């Protein structure tokens, strides 16, 4: 058993290449040996969001606070709230982030395929974000 104590890892700023706005990544985790799971707690300030991206084995988001948005390519923007669980199937192009006026935090969980968990694409434009 391994316990990573709260506060034992520094917070990290979400990279500008992958995010628009202010994003903080906390408590990243990654499976060891044969385990493929990885994830983190991600906080988006109002209006912040990911770029469009896919995951080779899909992704699960567990919203823990605030109000957010998520969208799959070609679909409507969906509002997401605490307690909501969002599943993106393997290869589904999507983005997620905070609402325009409210921050949002989620736990993101995904599996690695050949050491890769995500394929980043173009940024979500302001027009796409607003719907």
């Amino acid at each position: 058993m391994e316990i990573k104590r709260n506060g034992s890892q520094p917070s990290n700023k979400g990279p500008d290449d992958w995010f628009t706005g202010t994003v903080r990544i906390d408590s990243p985790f990654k499976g060891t040996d044969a385990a493929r799971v990885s994830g983190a707690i991600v906080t988006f300030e109002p209006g912040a969001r990911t770029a469009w991206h896919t995951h080779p084995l899909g992704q699960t988001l567990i919203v823990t606070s605030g109000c957010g948005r998520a969208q799959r390519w070609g679909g409507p923007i969906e509002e997401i709230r605490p307690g909501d669980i969002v599943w993106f199937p393997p290869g589904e192009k999507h983005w997620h982030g905070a609402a325009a006026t409210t921050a949002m935090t989620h736990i993101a969980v995904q599996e690695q395929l050949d050491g890769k968990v995500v394929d980043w694409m173009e940024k979500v434009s302001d027009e796409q974000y607003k719907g």
Side-chain angles (χ1 to χ4, degrees), residues 86-116:
V86 182
W87 164 246
F88 297 105
E92 183 171 74
K93 186 175 179 178
H94 68 280
W95 66 269
H96 38 95
T101 60
T102 307
M104 186 269 297
T105 299
H106 64 52
I107 300 169
V109 182
Q110 53 275 325
E111 291 184 281
Q112 301 174 59
L113 180 62
D114 299 323
K116 191 173 201 176

Side-chain angles (χ1 to χ4, degrees), residues 44-124:
F44 298 82
E45 291 300 317
R49 57 202 180 261
T50 68
W52 288 101
H53 61 286
T54 63
H55 299 274
L57 295 176
Q59 181 184 48
T60 299
L61 304 179
I62 303 164
V63 182
T64 60
S65 67
C67 183
R69 294 176 165 190
Q71 183 181 27
R72 65 180 176 182
W73 187 257
I77 295 172
E78 302 284 350
E79 184 176 279
I80 54 177
R81 295 189 169 276
D84 289 351
I85 299 171
V86 182
W87 164 246
F88 297 105
E92 183 171 74
K93 186 175 179 178
H94 68 280
W95 66 269
H96 38 95
T101 60
T102 307
M104 186 269 297
T105 299
H106 64 52
I107 300 169
V109 182
Q110 53 275 325
E111 291 184 281
Q112 301 174 59
L113 180 62
D114 299 323
K116 191 173 201 176
V117 297
V118 63
D119 287 304
W120 292 104
M121 300 172 184
E122 72 275 13
K123 288 202 173 187
V124 174

